[in-house]
Amino acid sequence: MPSELFVVGLSWRSASVSIREKLAFHDEELESHLQSLVSHELIDEAVILSTCNRVEIYGCTSWTAPASAVAHAAAETRAFISQSRGYPAEKLSNVLFEHLEQDAIRHIFRVASALDSMVVGESQILGQLKSAFGASSTYQSVGPVLGRCMERSFSVAKRVRTETGISRGAANVSSVAVELAKRVFGELDGKAVLVVGAGKMSALAARHLRADGAAKIRVTNRSLEKAERLAKEIDGLASGWEDLEMELCKADVIITSTGAREPVVTKKIMKKVMKQRRYKPCFIMDIAVPRDVESSVGKLEGVYLFDMD
């Protein structure tokens, strides 16, 4: 029988950030998990896409599998997600979706084209999908069928961006975060801004902040070298990670996106920070998944906390 494609996963449409952060896959885990997937007798090829807004596994059944194999392969993938993430299967039943055969192809094309994104038309998802495909190629978990589908999805995404007006606004999660900050404060000029993290999302946010009038931007990151590099690009200043609490005290606007697996801004830290600020209002936009800021921070007086949802 010919191989059949399937997709199993969850996105911002089906699962809250509190669930998405528990099921996220990290780069250093991909090789072992991809090999585990394709070692299954029903699954020949696999790609894992894990972003702030979705965790999806794209798979392809074995050439030797029977006609009914695609549904069984999807069920095995559901079980794999539960087991590998240590998350009870019964709690996933209402958040995991699956698409089989033609519906799987349609879904992959929609994801690549940013039609299924929280911010429709954003450009980051195509790069993230290409990176996921690249990792699968490196770890030899993708073959001719799924590979052809992924390559075609990139072409479709390019056509969508060039032949329609979907990218006219050029919006992305980071730019929306900055727009929200402007809505709260009116203007960012004169506001002290802190960017926590120096990865892609943080860098995008920093550039948008600078373009929208924020003149006093500080960047902090575990790697001071990366913080200095980003700060130089936006004409800002860099701070060492050990100065995080001090920088939080100074900032009116905080945008955070690190790769940490546990919150870096806790309620304990922010209680001290807000006391030192004399409860002067503080806007925090946490665009990391897993989240960088404990949700209880939003209950503190003077703190306005927003996460991806």
Side-chain angles (χ1 to χ4, degrees):
M1 293 296 295
S3 296
E4 296 286 2
L5 295 171
F6 64 88
V7 177
V8 176
L10 56 100
S11 73
W12 63 276
R13 295 181 184 276
S14 64
S16 67
V17 66
S18 62
I19 296 175
R20 299 199 306 273
E21 66 186 359
K22 290 181 175 67
L23 300 181
F25 288 89
H26 301 278
D27 290 347
E28 62 272 20
E29 302 176 305
L30 288 179
E31 182 175 12
S32 62
H33 287 313
L34 286 166
Q35 292 306 317
S36 178
L37 279 165
V38 297
S39 67
H40 194 281
E41 62 179 356
L42 294 179
I43 303 173
D44 263 5
E45 305 177 36
V47 171
I48 295 176
L49 175 65
S50 184
T51 75
C52 56
N53 279 325
R54 66 184 65 247
V55 177
E56 299 180 353
I57 295 178
Y58 308 138
C60 180
T61 58
S62 168
W63 282 96
T64 58
S68 60
V70 66
H72 292 301
E76 291 295 337
T77 303
R78 283 174 171 268
F80 166 81
I81 293 173
S82 170
Q83 293 162 7
S84 66
R85 301 298 84 194
Y87 202 85
E90 61 272 17
K91 291 186 177 181
L92 288 176
S93 60
N94 292 327
V95 298
L96 283 182
F97 55 74
E98 66 179 54
H99 301 292
L100 310 180
E101 303 171 4
Q102 292 295 322
D103 288 340
I105 298 170
R106 174 181 170 82
H107 178 79
I108 294 171
F109 284 13
R110 285 179 56 83
V111 169
S113 304
L115 292 171
D116 195 59
S117 295
M118 179 182 284
V119 181
V120 175
E122 53 92 6
S123 59
Q124 279 66 52
I125 186 61
L126 182 56
Q128 291 165 334
L129 188 58
K130 286 182 176 179
S131 294
F133 176 56
S136 295
S137 299
T138 298
Y139 303 134
Q140 300 181 329
S141 68
V142 69
V145 180
L146 185 54
R148 193 180 312 122
C149 177
M150 298 296 285
E151 293 284 3
R152 183 61 62 87
S153 77
F154 304 153
S155 299
V156 169
K158 183 178 180 180
R159 283 193 62 191
V160 168
R161 298 193 73 80
T162 56
E163 296 180 22
T164 76
I166 195 171
S167 60
R168 190 175 296 130
N172 52 59
V173 168
S174 297
S175 67
V176 171
V178 174
E179 284 299 316
L180 184 55
K182 287 170 62 181
R183 199 176 301 172
V184 171
F185 286 100
E187 293 296 332
L188 296 177
D189 185 29
K191 301 297 180 184
V193 179
L194 175 64
V195 176
V196 182
K200 292 180 180 178
M201 296 289 280
S202 298
L204 272 172
R207 295 181 194 119
H208 286 299
L209 286 162
R210 185 64 177 162
D212 282 313
K216 298 187 291 184
I217 305 177
R218 282 191 172 270
V219 180
T220 186
N221 188 63
R222 280 194 172 87
S223 165
L224 181 58
E225 181 182 354
K226 289 183 178 179
E228 289 173 337
R229 194 181 310 140
L230 177 55
K232 182 178 180 181
E233 180 186 334
I234 60 168
D235 196 23
L237 296 172
S239 295
W241 192 250
E242 67 278 6
D243 296 326
L244 175 61
E245 189 173 323
M246 179 183 70
E247 296 299 344
L248 290 170
C249 290
K250 299 176 184 177
D252 301 308
V253 179
I254 301 161
I255 295 186
T256 176
S257 180
T258 75
R261 300 194 184 189
E262 300 292 336
V264 297
V265 179
T266 63
K267 185 177 182 181
K268 181 179 179 181
I269 290 174
M270 283 305 296
K271 281 181 75 173
K272 292 167 59 180
V273 165
M274 293 309 292
K275 188 174 181 179
Q276 291 181 59
R277 289 173 59 87
R278 297 184 180 179
Y279 303 97
K280 179 184 175 184
C282 175
F283 171 94
I284 305 176
M285 175 59 79
D286 183 359
I287 55 176
V289 177
R291 287 172 290 181
D292 283 332
V293 184
E294 286 183 343
S295 58
S296 55
V297 167
K299 298 178 181 178
L300 296 174
E301 181 183 350
V303 176
Y304 298 87
L305 172 62
F306 300 85
D307 61 24
M308 285 296 294
D309 286 350

